[in-house]
Amino acid sequence: MHLPRTHRPPRPPESASRIRALSIRAPGTGRARRAVAGLAAGALAATALTAPPARAQTTGRDAGKDPALVRLLRSMSLQDKAAQLFVLQVYGKSADTADPADVAANRKLYGVDNAAQIVARYHPGGFIYYANNVADPAQLAGFSNGIQRAAMAQPHRVPETIATDQEGGIVARVQPPATQSPGSMALAAGRSTGDAGALARITGRELRAIGVNQDYAPDADVNVNPANPVIGVRSFGSDPALVSSMVTAQLRGYRDGGVTATAKHFPGHGDTTTDSHTGVPRIGHTRAQWETLDLPPFRAAIAAGAEAIMTAHIIVPALDPSEDPATLSKPILTGILRDQLHYRGVIVTDALDMQGVRDKYGDERIPVLALKAGADVLLKPPADASGNGVFARQLAAVVDAVKTGEISEQRLDASVYRVLALKKKRGLFRSPYADTSRVGRTVGTPAHLAAAQRAADRTTTLIKNDAGLLPLTTGPRKVLIAGWGTASTTAGLATGIAGHGAATTVRSTGLSPTPAQIDDTVAAAKDQDLVVAVTNRAWDVSTEPGHQGPGQTNLVKALVATGKPVVVIAVRDPYDIAYFPEAGTYLATYSYTAEALRSAVKALFGEIDPQGRLPVVIPTRDDPGTALYPFGHGLTYQH
């Protein structure tokens, strides 16, 4: 189903100092009725929320609040209010999916078939899209509209937050034909806040065109730890001033594009060797180090009017000696974020199915403790050990906590009001639907794609060119492209290089090449004129479970030992060069999007002069306190 062509939603408005990396650890040492009925309901909701404020009766507690939202809040049951704080994962590619696998997964989590039935039963505050929800932009617009139709059919007619993680680079749930922005670290390598803001604006417009109204981006973490397994290139870098400038540019860009931006992960996830999806990271910064390194981007985000901030499932003893994860810490969320930093926006938890928040308390206590700590939105409730969803139990736990007085209803109302106010600010009560007739004219347009490519061309960083191998000349040669990759990486590079007259061979060896794969690749290199080796976090040499091991490093070393000219391209973290310093030619792209790979090929052949400068320090392998390549390093072909 689709909306009548007469419906049109409003268009979104147009619109260095070097810090020595502290606590850097040696890499490898640690671990989501019909359209007419929906439109009618939407009109009723809009009327309710635009009634003359003079008619509203407000108490002193409600002074300064939107009277229509106060009336709406007062009309809601305790359970409906609590449900507004949850943003849920759902399976399927439409709101009314009947696909057997999706229905089975949703029944296991929620006891109903699909998103529309979840809305009818529980009235949640929103949904988050993951890659398995995505087929194409038109499908997503239909999915979003189906969710909003279901919401508008409910008694209170409260529209849904529809969110996703579209950071750019390696984290992008909506893939081509949507425009793919360079990731955070890539944009920081380009040093252009103009590019960062423009691409956030493009991303915002494209997300809003498919019905997504909140983006869980940008990442405001300062990545001072090269062994960080979960942030890395998702961060703008290791310098708080650079990160701050990029974060504020993107916040404004997303907002101009029509979506709510979300600075994450407070109080700062940049110095850890533990992935909070699978463990509990512990940040050892002193209060002074935290204020110097981690705080500045969040302070800048608040000054720039950040409407949402996401928490981190990390323990920071210097900020809370109880060693509760920040998501559940009142000293951190209320004491620091609310009281000291005077943040008045929405606080969103990171996903509640991550191990970093589940180790210390049971799942039913987590949402209660998060609300008591100061959080507003409870993201992605988990499943238990049997795979059964605990959302219904978590919702009941919040309701019970209010009934027993553990959480006051006034405290609950404060969070619900923030959620409703942000929905109204985004225009969702007035117009919750995506205009399906405009999707193709907004998403992945030539102008948007060209802007992304221009920005990517400014990010490629030439870190090492000892033998002057680059730039290459166009002409016949045999080139082996080997290492990590998929059809969009090694094969994509091969296609680009072949366009310059080369005969190319591809050997994809994955994240952990075996000795046999290395031997086969070395043998294939024997009769080649040039080898291009692709690495992806080759620094993760640990042989412990969950790590990649030394295979990529060993492959590069073996290829260099053949005596053939070798160009190494790191398509994720730039730190890999510390593990094979014998490689004489090394570029960093910070991501493996098609745009990043096209830029790499252009740089190889001198079509562009590499302009990127390191937004992080690359330390030596054996002495993490010593810089192998300093912040700001980057070579060009111009002398």
Side-chain angles (χ1 to χ4, degrees):
M1 292 188 291
H2 59 277
L3 296 176
R5 294 181 63 87
T6 54
H7 177 73
R8 292 291 184 270
R11 287 188 176 184
E14 300 286 336
S15 53
S17 60
R18 178 180 172 186
I19 304 293
R20 181 176 175 81
L22 297 183
S23 302
I24 295 179
R25 301 184 183 94
T29 59
R31 338 267 99 29
R33 276 169 214 189
R34 296 179 48 189
V36 172
L39 287 170
L44 289 172
T47 300
L49 288 171
T50 54
R55 297 180 182 177
Q57 299 296 317
T58 61
T59 66
R61 191 173 68 194
D62 296 326
K65 293 183 179 179
D66 184 308
L69 290 180
V70 171
R71 288 196 300 273
L72 173 60
L73 184 59
R74 289 176 180 168
S75 73
M76 298 170 73
S77 71
L78 181 56
Q79 177 160 316
D80 283 343
K81 289 192 289 190
Q84 272 300 302
L85 306 184
F86 286 88
V87 171
L88 307 179
Q89 172 190 19
V90 66
Y91 288 90
K93 292 182 171 64
S94 67
D96 57 356
T97 183
D99 177 85
D102 294 330
V103 167
N106 287 324
R107 281 194 169 277
K108 205 159 178 65
L109 287 179
Y110 307 112
V112 297
D113 293 355
N114 50 44
Q117 291 181 15
I118 293 171
V119 171
R121 175 175 290 189
Y122 295 110
H123 310 156
F127 292 89
I128 178 172
Y129 287 152
Y130 288 94
N132 61 8
N133 299 122
V134 181
D136 57 66
Q139 164 264 327
L140 271 179
F143 195 173
S144 301
N145 284 348
I147 289 173
Q148 300 292 15
R149 279 195 296 270
M152 293 299 103
Q154 305 312 307
H156 289 101
R157 302 182 295 277
V158 179
E160 300 286 334
T161 296
I162 300 179
T164 197
D165 295 280
Q166 195 78 0
E167 299 173 14
I170 67 168
V171 179
R173 310 302 187 200
V174 187
Q175 290 289 304
T179 302
Q180 302 301 298
S181 171
S184 298
M185 195 171 285
L187 287 169
R191 295 297 198 276
S192 172
T193 55
D195 283 347
L199 289 170
R201 189 176 306 111
I202 287 170
T203 297
R205 287 174 177 167
E206 294 195 6
L207 289 176
R208 195 62 188 264
I210 59 177
V212 174
N213 51 64
Q214 181 157 9
D215 191 4
Y216 294 140
D219 192 299
D221 302 311
V222 180
N223 200 78
V224 296
N225 193 330
N228 195 322
V230 64
I231 303 301
V233 293
R234 298 169 63 194
S235 162
F236 288 103
S238 63
D239 179 72
L242 176 61
V243 175
S244 297
S245 65
M246 291 287 171
V247 165
T248 55
Q250 290 225 302
L251 283 172
R252 295 184 178 110
Y254 288 125
R255 188 165 58 224
D256 288 348
V259 300
T260 298
T262 311
K264 61 186 186 186
H265 308 80
F266 188 83
H269 210 316
D271 187 7
T272 174
T273 55
T274 301
D275 186 341
S276 49
H277 293 85
T278 58
V280 187
R282 182 184 179 93
I283 309 297
H285 292 178
T286 66
R287 177 70 183 237
Q289 287 174 324
W290 175 77
E291 290 179 351
T292 300
L293 286 171
D294 303 294
L295 176 58
F298 291 102
R299 191 190 293 278
I302 293 168
E307 297 166 327
I309 289 177
M310 180 179 284
T311 68
H313 303 327
I314 57 174
I315 292 172
V316 192
L319 305 184
D320 182 358
S322 76
E323 301 203 356
D324 279 342
T327 297
L328 308 181
S329 169
K330 188 169 185 176
I332 293 175
L333 298 191
T334 298
I336 295 176
L337 187 53
R338 291 286 189 211
D339 296 344
Q340 295 179 24
L341 299 179
H342 308 294
Y343 174 63
R344 297 294 177 257
V346 170
I347 299 176
V348 186
T349 73
D350 207 344
L352 298 184
D353 65 345
M354 294 167 62
Q355 203 59 40
V357 78
R358 299 178 74 187
D359 265 15
K360 191 172 180 180
Y361 302 100
D363 283 331
E364 290 175 31
R365 288 295 295 161
I366 289 170
V368 174
L369 295 173
L371 291 174
K372 290 176 70 174
D376 300 307
V377 172
L378 305 162
L379 176 62
K380 196 187 178 192
D384 62 21
S386 300
N388 297 308
V390 302
F391 162 62
R393 301 206 306 269
Q394 288 192 331
L395 176 60
V398 172
V399 172
D400 288 345
V402 177
K403 287 180 176 178
T404 63
E406 184 179 7
I407 297 174
S408 71
E409 191 160 3
Q410 181 179 354
R411 166 68 190 88
L412 178 70
D413 288 353
S415 284
V416 179
Y417 183 86
R418 287 190 193 100
V419 170
L420 296 175
L422 187 53
K423 290 180 179 186
K424 185 174 184 182
K425 188 174 184 180
R426 283 285 81 77
L428 300 182
F429 283 97
R430 182 179 67 252
S431 180
Y433 302 105
D435 181 354
T436 56
S437 72
R438 296 187 60 85
V439 172
R441 288 180 278 165
T442 303
V443 179
T445 64
H448 288 180
L449 296 176
Q453 187 63 62
R454 285 194 302 269
D457 287 348
R458 289 188 274 269
T459 67
T460 304
T461 307
L462 179 59
I463 295 171
K464 194 174 184 181
N465 193 24
D466 285 359
L469 179 60
L470 300 182
L472 301 170
T473 58
T474 294
R477 58 164 59 87
K478 292 188 291 185
V479 180
L480 173 67
I481 297 93
W484 179 83
T486 64
S488 63
T489 48
T490 45
L493 284 169
T495 299
I497 292 169
H500 288 267
T504 58
T505 303
V506 173
R507 289 285 189 277
S508 294
T509 53
L511 288 171
S512 305
T514 64
Q517 287 176 307
I518 293 172
D519 290 344
D520 176 67
T521 305
V522 167
K526 298 292 187 182
D527 66 344
Q528 301 292 301
D529 300 312
L530 175 70
V531 178
V532 175
V534 180
T535 64
N536 181 335
R537 298 174 77 237
W539 59 261
D540 185 14
V541 298
S542 173
T543 56
E544 295 181 8
H547 293 264
Q548 294 173 188
Q552 291 189 61
T553 292
N554 293 341
L555 174 63
V556 173
K557 288 176 176 287
L559 289 170
V560 171
T562 65
K564 297 290 183 178
V566 176
V567 178
V568 182
I569 302 177
V571 295
R572 189 163 170 176
D573 300 358
Y575 310 111
D576 296 356
I577 185 63
Y579 287 74
F580 37 77
E582 55 268 58
T585 311
Y586 181 76
L587 295 97
T589 64
Y590 311 96
S591 72
Y592 36 83
T593 64
E595 291 80 4
L597 298 177
R598 279 194 288 267
S599 294
V601 172
K602 291 178 182 179
L604 289 178
F605 289 92
E607 292 183 62
I608 59 172
D609 188 32
Q611 298 179 44
R613 292 181 288 148
L614 281 175
V616 294
V617 176
I618 299 179
T620 62
R621 175 176 182 171
D622 297 325
D623 183 6
T626 299
L628 179 63
Y629 294 98
F631 177 90
H633 173 80
L635 305 176
T636 71
Y637 300 142
Q638 305 300 320
H639 299 289

